[in-house]
């Protein structure tokens, strides 16, 4: 038990909560902790003792937990999103007083946060929805945090957050995001971008392995090398590591024994749904979600492979003897980088569209800054994105930033070669191909949309605009077609 009141409380001691609580205690802020089932409380207290006698105090009942925290109380919740958050608020709020604050640190749907903030405000409490990224390691040693909601609540906890967050050259990886559910929304899109990054890396792996015939040792070398340049990032680093891990249960490398079925918890799906709601094209992120759906159909894919093999279509379609390995590796690196620019452009545009809809006033460059450390998408590349928005906060699309535009132009030939090679080899690269299509669509002054619009007017009298005369037009296409001879 703490002899004096603690500075902050944390409820929910699974992976994230336990590690964030230890991080907060380690930074010198005495913390009270609570969990629905008490075994996790004891486990956390035990860890705090082992990891340096940290000022962390466990409570088995919600009342003594809440009353152990100094006023105005600040409590971070890290429980499963959805109903468990409502349950936890209900349990704790009985003992709270006006001016106290609850922070939901989970991956919550932003509208739930807005609903809860409204209800809490009516009761005189403050509320924040704070995205936390970095997984177990980040939570323990420095995550990237995206708090949104009550600014007053943010100010009550800012001193803790700036110390607990990952620290990079441009400061702590935390900032007040904006009003309402903006913190959760930004975290959601962060996760959507993460889906895109992981898919693009997986496609690079597939092309190198299936077409280039690289061994796991070679893949380890390639990704390690890539991690020294423009692709330097947490995800490329862990990918390099994965290729060197030997299977401890059988011969060979562990990665080859991992079932090719990707799990997901929903934030990628929400990102794609929001992109559709806001009419923002996010094809790279959507392709990564679709790839997870298709990966889940393992049994169907096994049967499909048999059907097509018996019709003469094997796993890989072309003879690979002609591939120049070094050239392929360099092309794939460039294709990965160019695709990544498209993916981030989509995510950033989605955030901006939501910010405009909700009047959140989000600063895209600042978001890139707080993602530079602590989180799963941390990368040297984010510095470049920040600089692009520093040059022009109203940048319509990252692709037209002069630096990124130059980089894409430099890499487009390699990018096209990789996509063509993959198509001809029968290797699906939905992330890379759709990113290229996004670029090729966005950069063209004139698209075949004129024909689609003409079709719409033909069958539905939806009208069309002309390139040369202002106004709205309708044509009796059917009648004219019947009269016309050619
Ligand atoms: P989980 O999402 O696995 O949730 C487990 C926690 O929720 C336990 O403390 C559990 O208590 C509590 N809980 C549940 Br389940 N139902 C409850 C209820 N009805 N009332 C009270 N407590 C309840 O934990 P996590 O993986 O640490 O993630 C926490 C949050 O952070 C989630 O929103 C997650 O999406 C997000 N997040 C996770 C990661 C990650 O890498 N894991 C990364 C970033 C964000 P119990 O012990 O009594 O069952």
């Amino acid at each position: 038990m703490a002899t004096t009141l603690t500075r902050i409380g944390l409820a929910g001691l699974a992976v994230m909560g336990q590690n964030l609580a230890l991080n907060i205690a380690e930074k010198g802020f005495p913390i009270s902790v609570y969990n629905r089932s008490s075994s996790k409380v004891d486990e956390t207290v035990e860890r705090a003792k082992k990891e340096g006698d940290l000022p962390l105090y466990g409570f088995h009942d919600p009342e003594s937990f809440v009353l152990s925290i100094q006023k105005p109380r600040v409590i971070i919740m890290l429980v499963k999103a959805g109903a468990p958050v409502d349950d936890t608020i209900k349990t704790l709020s009985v003992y709270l007083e006006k001016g106290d604050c609850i922070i939901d640190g989970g991956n919550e749907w932003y509208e739930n946060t807005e609903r809860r903030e409204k209800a809490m405000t009516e009761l005189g409490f403050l509320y924040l929805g704070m995205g936390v990224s970095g997984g177990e390691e980040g939570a323990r040693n420095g995550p990237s945090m995206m708090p949104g909601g009550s600014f007053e609540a943010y100010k009550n906890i800012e001193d803790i957050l700036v110390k607990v967050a990952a620290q990079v050259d441009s400061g702590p990886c935390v900032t007040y995001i904006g009003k309402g559910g903006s913190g959760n929304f930004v975290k959601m899109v962060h996760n959507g971008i993460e889906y895109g990054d992981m898919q693009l890396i997986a496609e690079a792996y597939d092309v190198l392995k299936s077409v280039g015939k690289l061994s796991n040792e070679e893949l380890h070398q390639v990704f390690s090398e890539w991690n020294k340049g423009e692709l330097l990032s947490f995800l490329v680093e862990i990918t390099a590591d994965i290729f060197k891990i030997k299977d401890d249960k059988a011969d060979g490398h562990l990665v080859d024994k991992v079932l090719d079925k990707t799990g997901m918890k929903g934030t990628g799906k929400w990102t794609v749904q929001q992109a559709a709601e806001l009419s923002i094209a996010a094809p790279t992120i959507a392709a990564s979600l679709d790839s997870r759906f298709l990966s889940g159909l393992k049994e169907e894919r096994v049967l499909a492979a048999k059907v097509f093999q018996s019709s003469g279509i094997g796993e890989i379609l072309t003879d690979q003897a002609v591939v120049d390995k070094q050239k392929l590796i360099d092309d794939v690196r460039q294709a990965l980088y160019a695709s990544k620019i498209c993916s981030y452009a989509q995510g950033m545009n989605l955030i901006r569209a939501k910010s405009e809809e909700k009047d959140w006033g989000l600063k895209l460059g600042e978001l890139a800054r707080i993602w530079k450390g602590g989180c799963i998408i941390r990368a040297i590349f984010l510095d470049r994105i920040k600089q692009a928005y520093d040059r022009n906060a109203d940048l319509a699309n990252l692709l037209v930033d002069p630096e990124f535009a130059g980089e894409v132009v430099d890499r487009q030939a390699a990018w096209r070669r990789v996509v063509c090679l993959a198509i001809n080899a029968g290797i699906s690269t939905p992330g890379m191909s759709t990113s290229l299509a996004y670029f090729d669509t966005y950069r063209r002054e004139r698209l075949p949309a004129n024909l689609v619009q003409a079709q719409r007017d033909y069958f539905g009298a939806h009208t069309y605009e002309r390139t040369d005369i202002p106004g709205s037009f309708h044509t009796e296409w059917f009648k004219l077609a019947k009269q016309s001879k050619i």
Side-chain angles (χ1 to χ4, degrees):
M1 279 287 286
T3 46
T4 53
L5 296 174
T6 58
R7 172 73 172 78
I8 186 170
L10 192 146
L13 297 169
V15 178
M16 293 300 282
Q18 192 169 122
N19 284 290
L20 191 66
L22 291 163
N23 181 356
I24 293 171
E26 192 174 62
K27 300 297 172 331
F29 301 100
I31 185 167
S32 305
V33 297
Y34 167 75
N35 191 72
R36 179 182 61 173
S37 43
S38 49
S39 60
K40 288 198 181 79
V41 175
D42 301 335
E43 210 178 280
T44 313
V45 169
E46 203 48 45
R47 270 189 73 188
K49 271 202 199 105
K50 276 203 200 116
E51 294 179 25
D53 226 355
L54 304 174
L56 180 147
Y57 307 94
F59 296 87
H60 289 162
D61 72 287
E63 183 176 9
S64 49
F65 164 67
V66 172
L67 299 182
S68 71
I69 307 162
Q70 74 179 47
K71 295 185 210 171
R73 301 185 182 92
V74 177
I75 298 176
I76 299 177
M77 285 181 300
L78 268 158
V79 297
K80 202 173 160 73
V85 175
D86 289 311
D87 291 347
T88 307
I89 292 175
K90 211 166 151 193
T91 306
L92 301 177
S93 57
V94 181
Y95 310 106
L96 293 178
E97 291 169 54
K98 283 191 188 333
D100 288 351
C101 167
I102 290 194
I103 300 170
D104 176 12
N107 282 337
E108 188 52 278
W109 172 236
Y110 82 98
E111 285 180 344
N112 284 344
T113 292
E114 300 199 330
R115 165 177 62 79
R116 290 174 190 134
E117 188 189 4
K118 192 164 172 283
M120 296 294 279
T121 307
E122 279 163 14
L123 296 171
F125 304 135
L126 307 177
Y127 197 79
L128 279 174
M130 178 171 76
V132 180
S133 177
E136 181 173 10
E137 202 272 334
R140 180 65 185 86
N141 297 312
S144 172
M145 291 179 286
M146 295 148 250
S150 157
F151 186 65
E152 190 186 342
Y154 174 74
K155 281 291 164 192
N156 284 349
I157 191 185
E158 188 179 24
D159 60 330
I160 301 181
L161 296 183
V162 297
K163 283 216 170 124
V164 162
Q167 310 291 322
V168 292
D169 51 359
S170 50
C173 293
V174 63
T175 190
Y176 174 69
I177 300 291
K179 289 179 291 184
S182 60
N184 291 126
F185 191 88
V186 166
K187 172 65 181 5
M188 175 197 81
V189 178
H190 162 287
N191 284 23
I193 291 173
E194 180 184 308
Y195 274 49
D197 271 353
M198 294 170 81
Q199 175 64 25
L200 293 172
I201 290 173
E203 291 174 16
Y205 158 60
D206 198 8
V207 173
L208 293 176
K209 177 187 154 96
S210 305
V211 184
K213 304 286 175 219
L214 269 72
S215 66
N216 286 319
E217 285 83 2
E218 287 171 312
L219 286 162
H220 166 70
Q221 289 300 332
V222 167
F223 278 88
S224 301
E225 208 47 48
W226 286 358
N227 200 40
K228 292 178 189 154
E230 63 193 15
L231 287 170
L232 190 151
S233 60
F234 172 70
L235 285 168
V236 168
E237 180 190 333
I238 65 164
T239 303
D241 282 350
I242 286 168
F243 292 122
K244 65 177 181 184
I245 306 299
K246 290 270 166 53
D247 188 357
D248 61 348
K249 295 184 174 54
D251 288 343
H253 287 84
L254 185 54
V255 67
D256 297 324
K257 306 286 167 47
V258 176
L259 188 67
D260 51 332
K261 237 174 144 172
T262 314
M264 70 195 106
K265 285 192 170 171
T267 42
K269 187 157 138 187
W270 291 346
T271 306
V272 174
Q273 284 171 336
Q274 278 296 298
E277 284 289 333
L278 290 157
S279 305
I280 297 295
T284 313
I285 301 173
S288 64
L289 182 69
D290 287 341
S291 296
R292 290 194 185 198
F293 293 153
L294 286 167
S295 83
L297 305 178
K298 176 72 180 176
E299 293 76 15
E300 277 183 49
R301 288 188 287 111
V302 170
L303 290 175
K306 284 204 182 92
V307 169
F308 289 101
Q309 264 156 21
S310 65
S311 314
I313 297 184
E315 277 276 305
I316 315 290
L317 301 187
T318 49
D319 174 14
Q320 303 319 310
V322 289
V323 173
D324 172 344
K325 252 191 201 181
Q326 253 337 298
K327 174 123 182 64
L328 179 67
I329 292 167
D330 198 51
D331 278 359
V332 173
R333 176 184 57 75
Q334 296 186 58
L336 176 53
Y337 186 77
S339 302
K340 206 171 142 88
I341 296 174
C342 292
S343 182
Y344 279 67
Q346 296 159 27
M348 288 310 205
N349 283 359
L350 173 55
I351 292 176
R352 177 168 34 216
K354 194 70 183 182
S355 175
E356 283 168 4
E357 184 200 72
K358 303 282 287 182
D359 198 20
W360 282 337
L362 304 184
K363 295 184 182 62
L364 301 183
E366 186 60 0
L367 300 182
R369 184 193 70 75
I370 64 163
W371 291 342
K372 273 171 58 185
C375 66
I376 304 300
I377 63 170
R378 62 184 181 261
I380 196 162
F381 174 70
L382 284 158
D383 236 345
R384 314 282 319 288
I385 296 182
K386 179 177 178 335
Q387 287 160 16
Y389 287 115
D390 284 350
R391 278 191 286 277
N392 178 7
D394 298 323
L395 190 62
N397 191 303
L398 280 178
L399 282 169
V400 292
D401 168 72
E403 286 203 9
F404 282 124
E407 287 181 343
V408 169
V409 170
D410 288 348
R411 287 158 184 76
Q412 60 143 353
W415 196 6
R416 292 180 199 286
R417 278 195 296 274
V418 171
V419 170
C420 288
L421 183 72
I423 288 172
N424 287 326
I427 300 295
S428 60
T429 50
M432 286 185 185
S433 344
T434 202
S435 298
L436 181 56
Y438 178 79
F439 166 63
D440 279 336
T441 305
Y442 189 69
R443 75 176 171 77
R444 287 182 69 206
E445 196 179 318
R446 189 148 172 89
L447 292 171
N450 53 329
L451 181 60
V452 175
Q453 196 59 5
Q455 289 165 338
R456 294 183 69 241
D457 190 51
Y458 188 124
F459 65 70
H462 293 297
T463 73
Y464 58 91
E465 292 173 283
R466 295 181 55 100
T467 56
D468 51 353
I469 309 167
S472 177
F473 296 87
H474 170 60
T475 296
E476 295 292 330
W477 302 88
F478 178 72
K479 217 153 98 189
L480 292 174
K482 286 283 158 234
Q483 292 162 5
S484 171
K485 290 254 165 343
I486 47 145

